[in-house]
Amino acid sequence: MKIISSKHDINQLAKQSKASGKSIGFVPTMGFLHEGHLALVKEARQENDCVIMSIFVNPIQFGPSEDYDMYPRDAERDKKLAKEAGVDILFMPSVDEMYKKKQSVKMMVTERTNRLCGAKRPMHFDGVVMVLTKLFHLTIPDRAYFGLKDAQQFAIVSALVDDFDFSVEIVPVNTVREPSGLAISSRNVYLTAEERQKAPALYHSLLLGKKRIAEGETDVTVITDAVNDYLHQHLTAKIDYVELLSFPELETISVASGNMILAAAIQFSAARLIDNIIMES
Ligand code: AMP
């Protein structure tokens, strides 16, 4: 596995791969790798000749009061796991390498962003599309892999690629969970022992909502109220949101039908967890 930190070098390697007729699968991450990231690599490995992973904690997608400084990092462990998973090229740039001191052009997401995490994290997705635009140009992937755990990110990146005619296929990968149902996340390390025990209730609340829909409930407020009630009964953490929206448009609906996402976010003492279920009715 090659480890690269310069934009020039990663672009040269990607161009060489392309010139020799190899397809490129790209897995962008912020590191502190876990089973979720590795599921993306596994799928990329199956579908491409060359797998590039990036590890970059992107400062411009964090708000001033968010956890950029505290975000967990372990470069040595990440290198080992990436190599074992079959990554061919690991791109680990510094912030100075990725961004000029003064950027003259910025990007702004105008749809699919004022709901869910976007509503609570203004500018977050502007930072996400900016870094991905740069990474797509540098790594020139045929396919890029995104976890559905971050379903709003998947929806916005799909729109980015569609609106700006990027020549890359965005491949969704199902959420990897612990046996308890808890979605695996780098931020889970910041749960206390007691919170970790209770955190699976987040997924179970969404399963309850899904069950109500399967039983024939179509009133969105009744469904989201049931999810909220379950969370209140099982957790003391603050509920950021519970929403049932169309997917991937992320528009509000009053009747549950068609492709939908049921999503929730909760704030524990030092970790904010998100989860969702995507379904059709
Ligand atoms: P992150 O490092 O948190 O930015 O995540 C990098 C990629 O891994 C994103 O596409 C995430 O959606 C994906 N990912 C994170 N956790 C999981 C998980 N539990 N299952 C599947 N994909 C995941």
Side-chain angles (χ1 to χ4, degrees):
M1 182 180 76
K2 292 196 172 81
I3 300 174
I4 304 292
S5 58
S6 105
K7 291 195 288 191
H8 174 265
D9 292 352
I10 188 74
N11 192 232
Q12 283 304 110
L13 277 176
K15 282 179 179 160
Q16 279 166 20
S17 270
K18 274 288 169 67
S20 61
K22 289 184 178 167
S23 59
I24 296 177
F26 177 47
V27 180
T29 81
M30 298 203 298
F32 210 68
L33 300 181
H34 53 62
E35 291 298 319
H37 299 115
L38 301 180
L40 272 55
V41 174
K42 192 172 173 197
E43 197 152 333
R45 186 68 283 166
Q46 281 164 5
E47 296 171 358
N48 303 276
D49 302 312
C50 173
V51 175
I52 303 179
M53 172 187 271
S54 62
I55 295 184
F56 180 61
V57 185
N58 178 33
I60 66 165
Q61 71 187 62
F62 287 78
S65 60
E66 291 180 5
D67 58 351
Y68 174 71
D69 289 329
M70 234 185 96
Y71 196 83
R73 294 162 170 91
D74 190 340
E76 290 316 308
R77 182 172 160 275
D78 284 350
K79 287 177 196 169
K80 190 169 165 281
L81 288 175
K83 188 175 174 197
E84 283 168 9
V87 171
D88 297 301
I89 306 172
L90 183 59
F91 180 46
M92 302 177 84
S94 66
V95 173
D96 286 346
E97 178 67 10
M98 283 302 280
Y99 293 112
K100 292 190 180 134
K101 288 275 170 287
K102 192 168 184 294
Q103 184 130 348
S104 314
V105 180
K106 293 198 172 157
M107 299 174 76
M108 189 171 74
V109 183
T110 53
E111 299 289 330
R112 306 181 175 188
T113 189
N114 61 346
R115 319 287 319 170
L116 307 174
C117 294
K120 293 276 153 47
R121 303 183 73 188
M123 324 277 284
H124 169 68
F125 287 110
D126 296 349
V128 169
V129 295
M130 272 166 60
V131 78
L132 286 173
T133 296
K134 290 160 77 71
L135 290 169
F136 287 163
H137 285 136
L138 293 170
T139 61
I140 44 175
D142 296 274
R143 299 175 195 84
Y145 295 79
F146 288 86
L148 286 174
K149 176 176 165 287
D150 301 288
Q152 186 170 23
Q153 173 170 270
F154 167 78
I156 288 172
V157 176
S158 299
L160 166 74
V161 163
D162 200 26
D163 287 1
F164 285 80
D165 305 305
F166 280 86
S167 180
V168 54
E169 181 191 345
I170 301 302
V171 183
V173 178
N174 287 333
T175 302
V176 179
R177 300 179 180 283
E178 293 184 353
S180 65
L182 177 64
I184 298 178
S185 163
S186 304
R187 289 185 168 102
N188 289 354
V189 289
Y190 290 125
L191 295 171
T192 64
E194 194 196 343
E195 288 171 344
R196 191 166 244 282
Q197 262 201 327
K198 293 193 169 164
L202 175 58
Y203 181 51
H204 294 138
S205 73
L206 299 174
L207 287 176
L208 172 77
K210 184 182 175 185
K211 185 161 165 268
R212 289 285 146 81
I213 294 168
E215 287 165 355
E217 182 59 65
T218 58
D219 186 323
V220 167
T221 308
V222 171
I223 298 159
T224 52
D225 281 354
V227 175
N228 262 303
D229 286 349
Y230 186 97
L231 286 170
H232 280 301
Q233 280 161 23
H234 291 83
L235 294 172
T236 47
K238 182 179 164 291
I239 303 169
D240 253 5
Y241 62 74
V242 174
E243 294 190 58
L244 179 61
L245 305 169
S246 66
F247 189 82
E249 300 81 6
L250 306 184
E251 281 165 2
T252 47
I253 48 175
S254 51
V255 176
S257 77
N259 281 338
M260 294 172 287
I261 179 168
L262 178 58
I266 49 176
Q267 179 68 54
F268 283 101
S269 55
R272 181 175 178 278
L273 301 191
I274 60 171
D275 203 350
N276 71 77
I277 295 180
I278 294 164
M279 66 196 122
E280 204 185 334
S281 167

